Amino acid sequence: MTVLIPAAFRSGLALICAAAVVALTGCSSGTGATTSPTTTTPEATATGTATAGSDSSAVESVVTAANAYLATLSDDQVAQTVLDLTNDNAAAWSNLPCGSSCRNGVEFSTLSDEQLSAANAVLQAALNTSEGVGLDQVMQILAADDVLNAAQASGTGSSSGTGGGGTPSGDAPSGAPSGGGGDQSGAPGGGGDAGGGGGYSSGTYFLAFLGQPSVDGTWMLQFGGHHLAVNITYADGAVEGASPFFIGVEPTSWTADDGTSYAPLDIMKDAVQAMITSLSSDQLQQAKLSESFTDVLLGPDADGDFPQTKGGIAVSELSDEQKALVLAAITPWASIVDNQTSEDLLATYESELDQTYISYSGTTELTTQGDYIRIDGPSVWIEFVCQDGVVFSNQIHYHTVYRDHTRDYGGELSF
């Protein structure tokens, strides 16, 4: 069994994968099949407006894993990891390679193997273990950062001035996390990823808890690094919100040394593209936005900034087949958390489909900077955008964000 393990997790994750508790996409035969499967929409019949919930035993598992992780940390590390649930702390996430200057928690590159194993157990308990989403997808995003790190170190990235191009190859580097130690603050500004600051690696990721993990209180789990921000809010033993959730990737695909190909966001790209290309020419004209976009609108530091007016075409005007494609497009983002919570969220979004709008800017090809697709409902908000690459500057890469008008941060905070 070949397992895609980011460098930062190789030692700590070995026991978990050996136990085969979860079916990671990377746990493949290594035959070169691209790990971007099609997600089947969970069965969820909407009978009114559902609220997000979860299996209490699943939440108990997260709490148990979180407290076990905290028990491995020093007092100073606990003080960095367990923080108050405040607006400022909740909003401390980013898609930039800016390390601890824009995130809470302890940098993974500084943790021992025991601590990394305990941290991964938290992620395994909190994230969906279905193939292609949740934990599987998150681990591939961390591995993509190791690919970026290796490309920069070897000068094979096209922004290094050495040419480059094509599909990046090579597995995540083995051994200790590379390029991750220390604070990676000070990344250049100017929009996009503002990369090139050396902050790319699976070791430059952070896990924090806002509030004390418990089955009867209110608290948040935060996990993130470059191109990833996971924010899950728990209250009274249930998941109250699974957003904001930012996920992006560069390179969009690569081939590991064992011949296995990875394209972690293709499950999202293919879903939104199938939705938007199902529209007729007249519908496409209604759906096209007048604005152009170089990044997602509601990324970091944009909490509560939902547009007052929905743009595009109303899903109520679409056929049943097209409506099914809209729900299928929402599914990969809503599937970040456990199956029960995902099904409850999707039931809500399905019940609100007729009040939901879909739109796009640029082209529907999703191959050029500025190609952009949006889903905006009474609750759900999803954006998918193409940007020019940073390390592989002759390629595009993807940024996406999932928010909920009422459930961001569990609805516990006001922005």
Side-chain angles (χ1 to χ4, degrees):
M1 176 181 291
T2 302
V3 182
L4 175 69
I5 306 296
F9 281 96
R10 293 208 170 189
S11 298
L13 196 57
L15 294 176
I16 294 171
C17 273
V21 178
V22 295
L24 293 177
T25 297
C27 297
S28 67
S29 61
T31 58
T34 300
T35 58
S36 54
T38 300
T39 293
T40 301
T41 304
E43 295 179 1
T45 302
T47 55
T49 302
T51 56
S54 53
D55 181 357
S56 60
S57 63
V59 177
E60 289 173 6
S61 296
V62 179
V63 172
T64 298
N67 287 322
Y69 170 61
L70 292 174
T72 70
L73 303 181
S74 68
D75 289 346
D76 287 344
Q77 289 173 321
V78 170
Q80 295 177 64
T81 302
V82 182
L83 305 171
D84 292 337
L85 179 55
T86 65
N87 282 25
D88 287 346
N89 286 335
W93 57 270
S94 179
N95 61 278
L96 297 175
C98 47
S100 61
S101 68
C102 59
R103 296 178 182 91
N104 302 313
V106 179
E107 186 171 343
F108 276 19
S109 68
T110 67
L111 299 179
S112 68
D113 287 349
E114 177 192 10
Q115 291 169 327
L116 282 173
S117 180
N120 188 77
V122 176
L123 301 179
Q124 181 185 343
L127 302 179
N128 198 318
T129 55
S130 300
E131 188 175 5
V133 295
L135 181 65
D136 177 11
Q137 190 179 47
V138 162
M139 287 296 144
Q140 292 186 55
I141 299 305
L142 270 69
D145 272 8
D146 284 332
V147 173
L148 289 181
N149 180 276
Q152 282 193 322
S154 64
T156 57
S158 55
S159 64
S160 65
T162 60
T167 301
S169 62
D171 203 348
S174 59
S178 55
D183 182 7
Q184 301 294 333
S185 60
D193 279 276
Y200 304 119
S201 88
S202 59
T204 318
Y205 280 74
F206 301 79
L207 175 64
F209 309 121
L210 308 187
Q212 184 67 42
S214 68
V215 295
D216 55 5
T218 300
W219 60 284
M220 276 184 58
L221 181 155
Q222 281 191 329
F223 176 66
H226 173 236
H227 273 163
L228 182 70
V230 175
N231 296 284
I232 304 174
T233 306
Y234 300 87
D236 299 323
V239 175
E240 290 295 299
S243 60
F245 171 38
F246 184 102
I247 188 166
V249 70
E250 183 181 356
T252 59
S253 63
W254 71 95
T255 301
D257 290 339
D258 66 1
T260 305
S261 296
Y262 296 96
L265 261 61
D266 273 12
I267 190 171
M268 293 170 165
K269 176 186 75 76
D270 292 347
V272 294
Q273 190 170 40
M275 173 192 75
I276 207 72
T277 57
S278 75
L279 301 182
S280 68
S281 57
D282 287 344
Q283 289 172 329
L284 282 170
Q285 187 173 5
Q286 294 180 65
K288 189 155 191 179
L289 299 170
S290 59
E291 306 95 331
S292 59
F293 299 88
T294 58
D295 204 347
V296 295
L297 186 64
L298 297 186
D301 301 319
D303 295 305
D305 292 342
F306 297 97
Q308 295 298 308
T309 303
K310 298 187 186 303
I313 185 171
V315 177
S316 60
E317 299 182 29
L318 305 184
S319 68
D320 289 345
E321 291 79 8
Q322 290 172 318
K323 289 179 181 180
L325 289 173
V326 176
L327 189 63
I330 295 168
T331 298
W333 283 271
S335 297
I336 181 67
V337 283
D338 65 272
N339 283 330
Q340 184 60 60
T341 301
S342 298
E343 290 178 7
D344 290 344
L345 285 168
L346 286 166
T348 296
Y349 301 152
E350 183 178 16
S351 73
E352 297 174 344
L353 276 182
D354 282 349
Q355 292 79 49
T356 298
Y357 286 71
I358 63 174
S359 56
Y360 76 102
S361 183
T363 80
T364 62
E365 298 299 317
L366 296 181
T367 57
T368 305
Q369 168 142 332
D371 287 353
Y372 171 93
I373 296 176
R374 179 192 301 173
I375 303 172
D376 184 12
S379 298
V380 70
W381 171 279
I382 288 169
E383 296 176 84
F384 188 106
V385 68
C386 296
Q387 288 191 331
D388 287 336
V390 175
V391 175
F392 297 98
S393 59
N394 61 346
Q395 305 176 22
I396 55 99
H397 74 284
Y398 305 138
H399 280 189
T400 90
V401 71
Y402 158 54
R403 286 183 177 267
D404 189 299
H405 287 259
T406 61
R407 296 171 184 82
D408 271 4
Y409 308 108
E412 296 290 336
L413 303 171
S414 58
F415 288 96

